[in-house]
Amino acid sequence: DAGVIQSPRHEVTEMGQEVTLRCKPISGHDYLFWYRQTMMRGLELLIYFNNNVPIDDSGMPEDRFSAKMPNASFSTLKIQPSEPRDSAVYFCASRLAGGPYNEQFFGPGTRLTVL
Amino acid sequence: AQSVAQPEDQVNVAEGNPLTVKCTYSVSGNPYLFWYVQYPNRGLQFLLKYITGDNLVKGSYGFEAEFNKSQTSFHLKKPSALVSDSALYFCAVLSGGYNKLIFGAGTRLAVHP
């Protein structure tokens, strides 16, 4: 298995532009998580899905952020419009159902820089 | 609310010496605890977890962790450090109906030759 795949790996954009981050979870995994990592705030959970349905989006910072999971093998995190404070590394993770104790598998991350 | 604390920003250890990375937790109910490692420019990798049972949990790459209920701690240990162990280590606890991982701030481990 290729693991969790994220694209792009790096994104540089200007303030006000729309940014779309993509994630392909491990096949067969029922849960998908989006995290943001910054020096100031560490690792934060933004939103998670179960069977393609958003379960908890309480970590999404503002209405500028939205996430979708149209099918079991694809999810997007969109920021519109982007701001410099959105600069961070965004991780996608997935895990099997069958118990919350199952470990999460993380993708390599997308490093977003908003100028 | 569930939380974990990693009191050390950085731990320095000489290669071949034992290492300990500290983690304390605060939970209501049973604690479900995890350790992850992050190498530069990579995603997090699972090392080990405590769910129930033996207080000493063995994980990947020779790491182990000791669960101590009375001290509410879950310290990560390795008997003999390698330079390649140098990385960022995160302790985490399950929360939110046991579907959300709450991470500590991370501890940077530096192993010197």
Side-chain angles (χ1 to χ4, degrees):
Chain A
D1 198 319
V4 176
I5 299 172
Q6 291 186 247
S7 65
R9 293 294 309 276
H10 302 274
E11 177 81 32
V12 180
T13 191
E14 292 190 347
M15 182 174 63
Q17 297 298 306
E18 177 179 295
V19 175
T20 299
L21 311 181
R22 297 172 176 79
C23 175
K24 176 178 168 56
I26 293 173
S27 177
H29 283 194
D30 302 273
Y31 284 82
L32 184 139
F33 305 81
W34 281 101
Y35 292 89
R36 178 172 69 175
Q37 184 179 37
T38 61
M39 290 292 291
M40 291 299 294
R41 300 175 66 89
L43 265 167
E44 304 173 277
L45 176 65
L46 300 177
I47 184 172
Y48 77 91
F49 295 81
N50 177 214
N51 290 324
N52 313 336
V53 176
I55 302 300
D56 186 339
D57 65 354
S58 59
M60 296 285 262
E62 302 172 33
D63 291 345
R64 298 185 295 106
F65 285 70
S66 62
K68 294 182 179 179
M69 192 165 186
N71 57 62
S73 58
F74 184 66
S75 177
T76 59
L77 178 68
K78 186 175 293 186
I79 308 172
Q80 166 63 18
S82 58
E83 297 183 3
R85 60 193 168 120
D86 301 331
S87 298
V89 181
Y90 291 81
F91 289 104
C92 175
S94 68
R95 73 160 173 84
L96 282 169
Y101 325 120
N102 290 330
E103 58 267 29
Q104 295 181 20
F105 291 80
F106 283 74
T110 295
R111 182 173 297 276
L112 173 65
T113 302
V114 183
L115 303 174
Chain B
Q2 324 286 59
S3 67
V4 291
Q6 295 181 243
E8 302 155 316
D9 290 337
Q10 179 150 335
V11 170
N12 297 296
V13 64
E15 186 175 31
N17 283 0
L19 70 87
T20 298
V21 183
K22 296 180 180 178
C23 173
T24 59
Y25 64 88
S26 175
V27 303
S28 54
N30 293 323
Y32 302 113
L33 300 158
F34 296 74
W35 276 102
Y36 283 79
V37 59
Q38 184 179 25
Y39 297 101
N41 300 314
R42 302 281 295 276
L44 277 71
Q45 295 178 34
F46 169 78
L47 280 178
L48 51 79
K49 63 185 174 185
Y50 173 82
I51 305 301
T52 186
D54 288 342
N55 290 341
L56 188 63
V57 179
K58 294 191 181 296
S60 307
Y61 312 122
F63 284 92
E64 57 190 26
E66 185 172 9
F67 172 72
N68 188 316
K69 188 173 184 178
S70 62
Q71 297 186 5
T72 61
S73 66
F74 189 54
H75 299 333
L76 182 70
K77 300 182 179 185
K78 188 174 182 181
S80 179
L82 300 173
V83 172
S84 56
D85 292 330
S86 299
L88 191 55
Y89 290 81
F90 291 95
C91 182
V93 63
L94 273 178
S95 180
Y98 298 132
N99 280 316
K100 296 167 67 169
L101 270 178
I102 307 299
F103 286 89
T107 297
R108 188 165 300 281
L109 173 66
V111 182
H112 304 285

